[in-house]
Amino acid sequence: MRSLRWKLALAFLAVVVISVGLTAYLTNRGAAREFSSYVLESRRNYIDQIEEGLGWFYENNGSWTGVQNLLDGLVMMRGERLVLADSSGVVVGDTDLQWLGLTTGRVGLSASTRDIFVSGDEVGEFYLLSSSMMRGRGPMMGGPVSPQTPLFFQDVQEQELLERVNRSLLIAGVVAVFVAIVLGLLLTRQFTRPIQGLKNGAARIASGDLAYRVRVESQDEFGDLAESFNSMAASLDSSEQARQRLFADIAHELRTPLSIIEGTVNAMLDGVYEPDQDNLKSIKEETALLTRLVADLRDLALAESGQLKLEVESVDTAKLIQRRVSQAEVMAREKGIGLTTDITGGIPSVMVDSRRIEQVVANLLDNALSHTPSGGSVVVTVTTAPGRDGYPVDAGHILVSVADTGEGIAKEHLPHVFDRLYRVDDARPREKGGAGLGLAIAKQMVELHGGSIWVESEMGKGSTFSFSLPII
């Protein structure tokens, strides 16, 4: 049996059957015990009443003369026989009228049910017998019934009561089992329907239908599971679309320089282009572009998989930043852009891979200079994190910011600027916009060092890219 629905239904039924059976057993035992206690207590009270009545009779009459009429009135239960003997053991009263005048020894009555005392003197004794057991037997065949032993007809009543209780319990048990089966099937259907939906959804996702979503039908754990499944499916769908875009972008980025190289070489072979320095330089530039693109993709893949090895050492951050800025000043002057630094004194050292952090700063500077028009400015700031509430970085970090006066980035693009091969303006030439890997690589490198990176921008006023590194 592999169906979860039937497994749950049978488990529910088993619990009900065991519970009903245990309840019936305990109820039966309890009813028998309580009924027996009730019978014994009633019998003791009954014998006390007989003793009180006989004592009252003797006290008022001074003898047992005429007691026979009283005996018939004292017997209140069907099937009982009341025998009264005086102090000498002679039977003076018998509700069956069989042993009158005989001695108790003669008829086999050796132990009385109760002795009767009047004014401290024993005046007689009586025996409470089961008439149904004694009738038809000889004088010596009977015996008294003690108050601790229920009479025969009471045993029958007890048995009848227990049979009625058991019959009621059986009917209730059958009804409970039937209701349990119906409710079990309904409840297990409620339990297994969301699971079946998730099973079907997983099959659809596995078959490639990443747009499929399961229906959320409740606000309980099943609903949370369905929402988590849908979130997972949405993430897979987004990742698959990003993967497809990545392959398409990589193919595009590789195809362009390869096409230029192939076209130039073919033209040179056909005699259209001369194999002079200008054409060879063009081939070299495109080859360098390809080499850089492949290296960037390799670094990004290693960083994302956690396999990029860092050569960590204590580094003077201020000197590292200043050195990288100095290297970028030539490009800034050529474009007519002012490049300055604002480095706070006393910047502590950090444990980093200096080559990778230089790569981060270089990528941010290249990005800022590429998007800043002539006459604009780029400012590189190095300071310690303020550690105030609401600030992206806690105290204990250094903060590096690269601010430009370029065109800025629209709000809808800000969440994606660190994505691989993402470019805000697809129409921008590669020579100006790059391949879209620099910021993605910067993000991975910073996070590998335990830091964080973010961007703030306003259209028409420029952008500020900042990253943090933990202090030693």
Side-chain angles (χ1 to χ4, degrees):
M1 183 181 299
R2 302 177 62 184
S3 173
L4 179 61
R5 179 180 179 183
W6 284 107
K7 289 180 180 179
L8 289 175
L10 290 179
F12 187 76
L13 178 61
V15 170
V16 171
V17 170
I18 293 174
S19 300
V20 170
L22 183 59
T23 301
Y25 173 76
L26 295 177
T27 302
N28 177 273
R29 300 294 298 175
R33 183 173 57 255
E34 293 299 324
F35 185 75
S36 297
S37 299
Y38 170 76
V39 168
L40 290 175
E41 185 64 27
S42 298
R43 182 164 176 76
R44 290 189 185 96
N45 294 333
Y46 177 40
I47 292 175
D48 289 341
Q49 292 174 2
I50 294 176
E51 179 185 5
E52 183 180 353
L54 291 174
W56 174 85
F57 177 87
Y58 190 90
E59 185 177 3
N60 285 276
N61 292 279
S63 69
W64 294 116
T65 303
V67 75
Q68 184 64 42
N69 294 329
L70 177 62
L71 293 183
D72 294 333
L74 289 177
V75 175
M76 294 182 295
M77 295 186 180
R78 178 177 55 86
E80 283 189 344
R81 180 180 180 181
L82 183 59
V83 178
L84 175 65
D86 59 16
S87 58
S88 62
V90 177
V91 177
V92 295
D94 182 4
T95 55
D96 280 2
L97 304 176
Q98 292 183 355
W99 295 341
L100 293 175
L102 300 177
T103 62
T104 56
R106 171 82 182 275
V107 298
L109 298 176
S110 58
S112 65
T113 300
R114 189 73 61 83
D115 294 331
I116 304 171
F117 292 88
V118 175
S119 300
D121 298 326
E122 181 180 351
V123 297
E125 55 189 11
F126 68 90
Y127 301 83
L128 188 60
L129 310 174
S130 173
S131 178
S132 59
M133 297 176 64
M134 300 295 299
R135 187 174 291 112
R137 299 181 181 181
M140 305 299 293
M141 298 295 292
V145 181
S146 70
Q148 289 76 24
T149 305
L151 295 175
F152 174 74
F153 81 95
Q154 291 170 329
D155 291 337
V156 174
Q157 286 184 337
E158 180 180 356
Q159 186 63 31
E160 290 178 352
L161 174 63
L162 293 179
E163 288 179 356
R164 289 195 298 270
V165 171
N166 290 336
R167 189 160 48 247
S168 298
L169 290 175
L170 178 60
I171 294 173
V174 172
V175 173
V177 169
F178 176 76
V179 172
I181 293 175
V182 175
L183 290 179
L185 292 176
L186 292 177
L187 291 176
T188 53
R189 183 175 182 272
Q190 290 295 110
F191 292 153
T192 56
R193 184 169 59 183
I195 298 177
Q196 185 65 36
L198 291 173
K199 176 184 174 183
N200 295 336
R204 294 281 293 271
I205 295 294
S207 66
D209 186 6
L210 299 181
Y212 180 80
R213 302 291 183 271
V214 298
R215 181 183 300 176
V216 180
E217 299 180 346
S218 62
Q219 300 298 320
D220 54 12
E221 288 79 0
F222 286 117
D224 294 340
L225 182 59
E227 291 180 353
S228 298
F229 180 90
N230 289 338
S231 298
M232 178 197 69
S235 178
L236 290 174
D237 189 20
S238 177
S239 298
E240 177 61 19
Q241 293 180 12
R243 184 184 67 84
Q244 293 176 0
R245 289 195 302 269
L246 174 64
F247 287 160
D249 290 340
I250 291 176
H252 173 73
E253 295 297 331
L254 293 176
R255 183 173 60 249
T256 301
L258 287 175
S259 298
I260 294 175
I261 293 173
E262 182 182 15
T264 303
V265 171
N266 287 335
M268 292 172 64
L269 291 175
D270 293 339
V272 178
Y273 289 166
E274 293 292 333
D276 54 17
Q277 185 174 1
D278 291 338
N279 290 325
L280 292 176
K281 182 179 179 181
S282 174
I283 294 176
K284 181 180 179 181
E285 290 175 352
E286 295 301 329
T287 303
L289 180 61
L290 277 175
T291 301
R292 179 180 177 183
L293 179 60
V294 172
D296 286 347
L297 288 172
R298 177 181 177 275
D299 289 344
L300 189 59
L302 290 175
E304 289 180 345
S305 63
Q307 298 180 2
L308 185 64
K309 295 182 179 180
L310 300 178
E311 298 178 2
V312 178
E313 58 183 347
S314 179
V315 175
D316 186 331
T317 313
K319 290 184 178 179
L320 183 149
I321 301 298
Q322 188 63 60
R323 182 171 62 252
R324 192 67 238 188
V325 170
S326 299
Q327 295 174 357
E329 287 178 349
V330 176
M331 178 180 177
R333 285 196 300 269
E334 290 178 353
K335 297 188 64 175
I337 300 172
L339 177 59
T340 59
T341 59
D342 181 8
I343 301 177
T344 304
I347 299 297
S349 299
V350 291
M351 292 294 295
V352 296
D353 185 328
S354 59
R355 185 168 65 90
R356 297 301 181 183
I357 297 303
E358 281 194 36
Q359 186 179 6
V360 172
V361 177
N363 288 347
L364 295 182
L365 285 172
D366 288 345
N367 181 74
L369 295 173
S370 298
H371 292 83
T372 302
S374 179
S377 64
V378 175
V379 179
V380 180
T381 303
V382 184
T383 185
T384 55
R388 61 176 181 267
D389 293 340
Y391 201 74
V393 182
D394 297 333
H397 291 73
I398 65 166
L399 181 64
V400 180
S401 299
V402 179
D404 63 61
T405 57
E407 68 273 16
I409 304 173
K411 290 183 178 180
E412 62 269 22
H413 294 296
L414 288 177
H416 306 288
V417 294
F418 294 104
D419 293 348
R420 294 172 297 182
L421 297 170
Y422 185 86
R423 294 197 295 182
V424 173
D425 186 3
D426 290 335
R428 181 185 294 273
R430 287 185 301 107
E431 292 78 5
K432 294 184 178 181
L437 292 175
L439 294 179
I441 291 175
K443 179 176 184 293
Q444 291 295 329
M445 297 302 173
V446 169
E447 291 180 351
L448 281 177
H449 286 84
S452 57
I453 188 170
W454 65 95
V455 60
E456 299 168 291
S457 184
E458 185 176 351
M459 290 298 295
K461 294 185 179 181
S463 305
T464 300
F465 286 82
S466 304
F467 70 90
S468 65
L469 294 172
I471 298 173
I472 298 175

